[in-house]
Structures are given as structure tokens and as C-alpha cells.
Amino acid sequence: CRQCSIVLDESMVDFGRDSRFFEDEGDGEHNSRTGAPFDPLVVDNLGTSIGNASDLSKLSGRNRALFQRIKKRQHWTATSFEQNLKTAFNNLKLMSGGLSLPSSVEKEAATIYRRCVERGLTKRSEIEHLVIASLFLASKLHGFPRAMKEFANVAKVDMTILGKNYKLIMRELGI
């Protein structure tokens, strides 16, 4: 809820209209979107996860052990890129909540951070430092200017580190 900040469900299903268009069906003016829109806060939009605890508890002992082994292997085969994003986005959600920033700023920060990882900036700087700098930049871009000190306090980092990472992102991403 945007008024009281209560979270009813973390992964909402988009029940909106999905349409598709095939070349032999007419004029081509139809909306061709299918599926849910891309969400920058989801590490792997097309990924599949092998059951959760409540699903696995319903299985018999032998099947439960099999699915737990499959789940462990799936976790092992996740790329370092995916693991990095998962860690970073968990931190981003915590820091964003601590600053009471809207979801639009959170999604913009996730997009900025994703671009940082793609450019290899995580080799130069720590994940938490780039996350809070991305959040600071996104809040400025969306017109929610807050003092750098607030961001530094939430992330428990020095303001000089935040400033250096902020400048690094601005320079490397050309923002």
C-alpha cells in the first residue's frame, strides 16, 4: 500500500490484458506485448526456481531429497552476475525502505546498478557502496533530493566513499 506501506504480496501477478499478433492475422496495428513487463528488481525475469519450503514439505521423503538436490545444483549453477544482483537488490530494498523512497526510485536504482555490473564497476568497488550510490543518484534523477549524509547513515558508510562511488557511476555510465 502506498499510503501505509503494508506489503500484502511480494510477487504480484499481472492480470492485465495480454495480446499477441501473428503476421497472417491482419494489419499489424495490434499491441504485441505478451507476458508481464520487465522488472529491473527481479534478478532473472525468465528464470525458474525449484519449489519453496511449503511445496517441498508436501512431497514424500525420497522425492523431497531429490528436489532439494536439484535445488542445490540450481543454486550452484547460478552465474556470479545473478548472485551479485541478488545480493545487491536485497541490500537495495533494505536501504530504500530505510529512506522511505518510492518504488520508482528503487527500480531506477536497480537499473543503474545493473548497468554498473555490466560495465565491470563491481571489480573496482564494493557492492554495498555501488548500491547506495545508485540509490542516491536515482533519487536525484527522480526529484527526491535528500542529503548525502542520510544515505551514508542508512548504509553505514563514510560520505567520502559514497561521493567517490557516485562520481564513478556518473563518469562511467555517462549520466
Side-chain angles (χ1 to χ4, degrees):
C1 175
R2 295 195 186 274
Q3 294 174 346
C4 65
S5 299
I6 189 169
V7 178
L8 298 176
D9 192 2
E10 193 170 314
S11 57
M12 296 293 291
V13 177
D14 179 15
F15 290 108
R17 184 175 148 265
D18 286 342
S19 58
R20 56 188 181 174
F21 172 76
F22 296 101
E23 291 180 19
D24 59 347
E25 286 186 357
D27 59 357
E29 297 296 321
H30 295 88
N31 182 3
S32 62
R33 184 182 88 73
T34 58
F38 177 76
D39 184 3
L41 285 171
V42 176
V43 174
D44 184 12
N45 272 348
L46 298 176
T48 303
S49 61
I50 309 293
N52 56 24
S54 64
D55 292 338
L56 295 178
S57 67
K58 296 174 187 172
L59 297 173
S60 67
R62 186 175 180 179
N63 284 336
R64 185 179 317 124
L66 172 68
F67 277 99
Q68 285 174 336
R69 283 196 308 270
I70 292 171
K71 192 171 184 171
K72 188 185 286 186
R73 286 249 172 99
Q74 181 189 23
H75 180 70
W76 288 345
T77 59
T79 65
S80 63
F81 178 78
E82 291 169 351
Q83 290 174 349
N84 182 317
L85 290 180
K86 187 179 282 190
T87 302
F89 291 166
N90 286 336
N91 288 340
L92 188 131
K93 288 176 186 177
L94 288 172
M95 292 177 199
S96 177
L99 292 162
S100 301
L101 293 172
S103 63
S104 61
V105 173
E106 203 173 303
K107 287 181 180 183
E108 181 70 28
T111 302
I112 292 169
Y113 183 80
R114 190 181 289 264
R115 288 176 57 198
C116 289
V117 174
E118 289 168 354
R119 292 275 175 101
L121 299 184
T122 52
K123 294 174 184 169
R124 297 188 216 173
S125 193
E126 291 185 33
I127 293 173
E128 292 81 13
H129 299 164
L130 284 173
V131 166
I132 196 65
S134 299
L135 202 53
F136 179 65
L137 176 59
S139 70
K140 287 182 80 169
L141 291 174
H142 279 265
F144 290 97
R146 300 256 177 99
M148 189 181 281
K149 191 171 187 172
E150 288 181 63
F151 287 86
N153 288 340
V154 166
K156 296 182 177 105
V157 297
D158 191 42
M159 283 186 30
T160 56
I161 292 173
L162 176 55
K164 286 180 181 180
N165 282 281
Y166 171 72
K167 288 177 183 176
L168 173 70
I169 292 171
M170 295 279 287
R171 183 178 61 247
E172 293 294 324
L173 299 184
I175 297 176

